[in-house]
């Protein structure tokens, strides 16, 4: 029972921490971000398993985490507000070629991040070519180019 409680606690804690950290954390990982994820995973493993490194305990923790993830998926389908709380809403960062600076600052996204996504996905090089840039809930930036 201790492993299940530890698994639930760590799952909820990480869900809250990554929600507070913002979606850009999950979007484009830098080398530093990758190292941070490795350290977090090691700390989370220790918090969940404690001193019990048995196979049964590991399977119990994994089952708890997967079960929580499935439960949360079902709850998000039934309660759309819960999905908005957990995953947030897409943010329009550029509207008719005009950067929305307050939202960009809040999301910790700069113009170079938007232009990088525009170059990679559409071959666009300037802000004037972008109709909308949207920060998706998964951390990626979608670009809608101007027509013509």
């Amino acid at each position: 029972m201790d492993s299940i409680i530890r698994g639930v606690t760590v799952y909820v804690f990480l869900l809250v921490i990554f929600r507070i950290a913002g979606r850009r954390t999950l979007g484009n990982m830098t080398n530093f971000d990758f190292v941070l994820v490795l350290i977090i995973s090691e700390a989370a493993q220790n918090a969940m398993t404690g001193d019990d490194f048995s196979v049964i305990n590991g399977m119990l923790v994994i089952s708890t985490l997967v079960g929580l993830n499935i439960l949360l998926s079902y709850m998000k389908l039934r309660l759309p507000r819960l999905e908005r709380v957990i995953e947030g809403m897409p943010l329009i960062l550029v509207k008719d070629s005009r950067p929305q600076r307050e939202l960009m600052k809040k999301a910790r996204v700069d113009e170079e991040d938007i232009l990088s996504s525009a170059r990679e996905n559409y071959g666009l090089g300037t802000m004037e070519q972008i109709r909308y840039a949207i920060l998706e809930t998964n951390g990626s930036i979608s670009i809608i180019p101007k027509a013509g």
Side-chain angles (χ1 to χ4, degrees), residues 94-99 101 111 114-115 118 124-133 143-148:
V94 174
K95 186 175 182 181
D96 294 324
S97 302
R98 291 190 311 264
R101 303 224 182 270
E111 286 189 28
I114 295 169
L115 289 173
L124 304 177
T126 65
M127 196 63 75
E128 289 72 30
Q129 296 174 300
I130 299 171
R131 183 171 182 205
Y132 289 104
I143 303 293
I144 299 174
K146 280 190 169 177

Side-chain angles (χ1 to χ4, degrees), residues 24 91-95 98-115 127 133 135:
R24 288 300 289 166
L91 293 175
I92 297 176
L93 303 175
V94 174
K95 186 175 182 181
R98 291 190 311 264
Q100 308 296 303
R101 303 224 182 270
E102 283 300 314
L103 289 176
M104 290 170 58
K105 183 178 177 184
K106 180 180 172 185
R108 297 187 318 265
V109 174
D110 61 18
E111 286 189 28
E112 186 53 41
D113 293 329
I114 295 169
L115 289 173
M127 196 63 75
L135 179 61

Side-chain angles (χ1 to χ4, degrees), residues 64-139:
T64 300
L65 295 175
V66 171
L68 277 173
N69 202 35
I70 292 169
L71 177 66
L72 202 56
S73 297
Y74 280 122
M75 289 175 65
K76 286 190 303 187
L77 287 174
R78 296 183 143 251
L79 305 167
R81 285 185 181 178
L82 179 65
E83 184 173 9
R84 279 186 244 135
V85 169
I86 292 173
E87 296 184 4
M89 298 284 293
L91 293 175
I92 297 176
L93 303 175
V94 174
K95 186 175 182 181
D96 294 324
S97 302
R98 291 190 311 264
Q100 308 296 303
R101 303 224 182 270
E102 283 300 314
L103 289 176
M104 290 170 58
K105 183 178 177 184
K106 180 180 172 185
R108 297 187 318 265
V109 174
D110 61 18
E111 286 189 28
E112 186 53 41
D113 293 329
I114 295 169
L115 289 173
S116 174
S117 181
R119 280 191 306 272
E120 289 174 11
N121 298 318
Y122 294 96
L124 304 177
T126 65
M127 196 63 75
E128 289 72 30
Q129 296 174 300
I130 299 171
R131 183 171 182 205
Y132 289 104
I134 302 163
L135 179 61
E136 303 292 346
T137 57
N138 65 4

